[in-house]
Amino acid sequence: MSNTSLLLPFRKKGNTMQFLVKNEYIAGWDAHPDVCGILNTVTNDLYEKEMLDQLKLETDIIIDSDELIRLGVCAIKRNSDLVCYLYSADLSKRNETIEAEMDNYLWISEDRLMQSIDAQLLSAYARLKFLLF
């Protein structure tokens, strides 16, 4: 059995927030790509390291573990022992340019994020909003 970790990085643009998400086809959802959290499945206890390594590999964004905002866990699905560890990171004060030109990654608004059907993404967003405001 394996649990997952989800990362929802964000940046502040004036009075708004933008979130870095993946835009991809999710098996079993529908025939259209949808935005989802940056998900990583691991079979060991190195959730944070594996997630940060994957982010670096796919986007060239380097985040240290002390920059992570830990948002707790949520169930993967009802009546399951599997959980998803939720994280976020504030990329607002980064000096390097972080563009949305990364393969399947997009910067989206809160309104667009709320249209996602990814339950773990919405859980991370709700917990992040609770912590920030």
Side-chain angles (χ1 to χ4, degrees):
M1 287 206 293
S2 61
N3 292 314
T4 59
S5 57
L6 179 137
L7 178 63
L8 179 60
F10 68 95
R11 64 183 179 188
K12 296 175 186 170
K13 289 280 199 169
N15 292 333
T16 63
M17 292 176 69
Q18 294 180 329
F19 300 90
L20 185 62
V21 296
K22 285 185 104 170
N23 188 44
E24 62 185 3
Y25 292 95
I26 308 298
W29 284 4
D30 57 24
H32 304 286
D34 193 18
V35 295
C36 57
I38 301 169
L39 207 62
N40 188 35
T41 303
V42 292
T43 55
N44 55 38
D45 292 331
L46 303 174
Y47 297 102
E48 291 180 11
K49 181 184 179 327
E50 294 282 335
M51 179 182 55
L52 297 176
D53 289 347
Q54 177 186 351
L55 183 69
K56 178 183 175 186
L57 178 69
E58 294 182 14
T59 67
D60 288 332
I61 297 173
I62 299 172
I63 299 174
D64 293 325
S65 62
D66 62 340
E67 295 179 87
L68 288 175
I69 301 169
R70 290 160 181 85
L71 302 173
V73 299
C74 69
I76 294 295
K77 63 181 181 178
R78 191 174 184 177
N79 299 326
S80 171
D81 291 339
L82 300 178
V83 296
C84 182
Y85 295 86
L86 306 174
Y87 300 93
S88 187
D90 186 353
L91 304 180
S92 303
K93 297 178 182 173
R94 293 293 181 120
N95 290 330
E96 71 269 17
T97 303
I98 301 173
E99 295 299 325
E101 302 301 323
M102 303 166 274
D103 294 332
N104 295 333
Y105 289 86
L106 303 170
W107 285 104
I108 62 169
S109 67
E110 291 180 77
D111 290 341
R112 176 70 175 96
L113 184 136
M114 292 302 295
Q115 296 172 19
S116 175
I117 58 175
D118 181 348
Q120 286 78 31
L121 174 67
L122 295 173
S123 294
Y125 169 74
R127 291 178 185 194
L128 180 63
K129 289 292 283 192
F130 178 77
L131 286 176
L132 296 180
F133 300 103

